[in-house]
Amino acid sequence: MPRPRSEKARQSVLEAMRRALAADGYEAVTIEGLAAEAEVSKQTIYRWWPSKAAILGEALREGTVPGADAVVPMTDDLGADLRAWFTAVSAGLARPEGVSLARALIEVTAADPELGLVLNERLAAPIREWVAERISRGRTDGDVRADVDAAAVADEFIAIASYSALIGQPLSAARVEETVVRLLRGIAAG
């Protein structure tokens, strides 16, 4: 069954937002540009969403999230896995779409804290899952203390990766190494 015309138009606006975010960054997105690309009026857009931040929020909530595709396999070496994770995620978030997304999330969160919380949680969930699994394996292998809070470690990962995205620079190899060494010192068993 085909979508109603207005639903197709809504989806066109959301797709236009995703494309514009990836191509030019959030700062360059305008309501006029979205309206033109989606072939709807500005008034129609404002009838559906109160702001550019609200459009971005819905576009991200319903679609793919730039940078959420980082895949870091786990090995038997906790330190190597942490280095690989920081390197992959930092490099991904330092791409223009990652920088734009990080900066846009700040604006979305400021404009609509509830939506910002939902989006930030969506971005953080895969990180928390990866960290929880890696910490669990580390405990089993005797590399990580039993009392280590995987959620707290994940929050540290998220904070460091987010900072890297905000400044638009991947973590240097030296910074990755220093971060991992300090983290391992804090969670190591024995």
Side-chain angles (χ1 to χ4, degrees):
M1 179 173 178
R3 287 189 209 155
R5 181 176 156 91
S6 62
E7 180 58 23
K8 280 184 168 181
R10 275 178 72 83
Q11 290 304 317
S12 291
V13 173
L14 297 174
E15 283 300 319
M17 173 57 90
R18 288 184 202 96
R19 282 190 300 274
L21 178 67
D24 302 318
Y26 182 72
E27 300 81 18
V29 174
T30 65
I31 298 298
E32 293 82 5
L34 294 174
E37 187 174 336
E39 299 178 348
V40 299
S41 70
K42 283 180 16 180
Q43 293 80 7
T44 297
I45 289 179
Y46 282 119
R47 190 169 44 246
W48 291 333
W49 297 280
S51 66
K52 181 171 87 165
I55 300 168
L56 174 67
E58 189 171 333
L60 293 176
R61 188 172 51 216
E62 291 184 4
T64 60
V65 178
D69 56 352
V71 177
V72 181
M74 294 182 202
T75 69
D76 291 336
D77 185 336
L78 176 61
D81 289 354
L82 297 178
R83 284 180 199 86
W85 187 91
F86 274 115
T87 301
V89 173
S90 171
L93 288 174
R95 292 188 312 247
E97 62 270 19
V99 172
S100 184
L101 176 63
R103 293 175 180 166
L105 279 173
I106 291 171
E107 188 167 332
V108 169
T109 303
D112 185 342
E114 189 174 310
L115 178 58
L117 185 62
V118 168
L119 292 175
N120 280 291
E121 182 53 36
R122 180 170 176 216
L123 291 170
I127 298 168
R128 286 197 179 102
E129 290 168 13
W130 188 91
V131 171
E133 174 64 23
R134 192 59 192 93
I135 294 296
S136 176
R137 286 184 183 195
R139 283 187 190 118
T140 301
D141 295 343
D143 296 330
V144 176
R145 291 189 332 265
D147 66 338
V148 169
D149 181 351
V153 174
D155 286 344
E156 290 176 33
F157 276 45
I158 293 164
I160 292 167
S162 297
Y163 178 72
S164 174
L166 283 173
I167 63 173
Q169 296 178 357
L171 295 169
S172 68
R175 185 65 163 189
V176 167
E177 182 63 25
E178 179 64 20
T179 301
V180 170
V181 166
R182 288 179 183 270
L183 181 63
L184 289 174
R185 225 180 277 144
I187 67 173

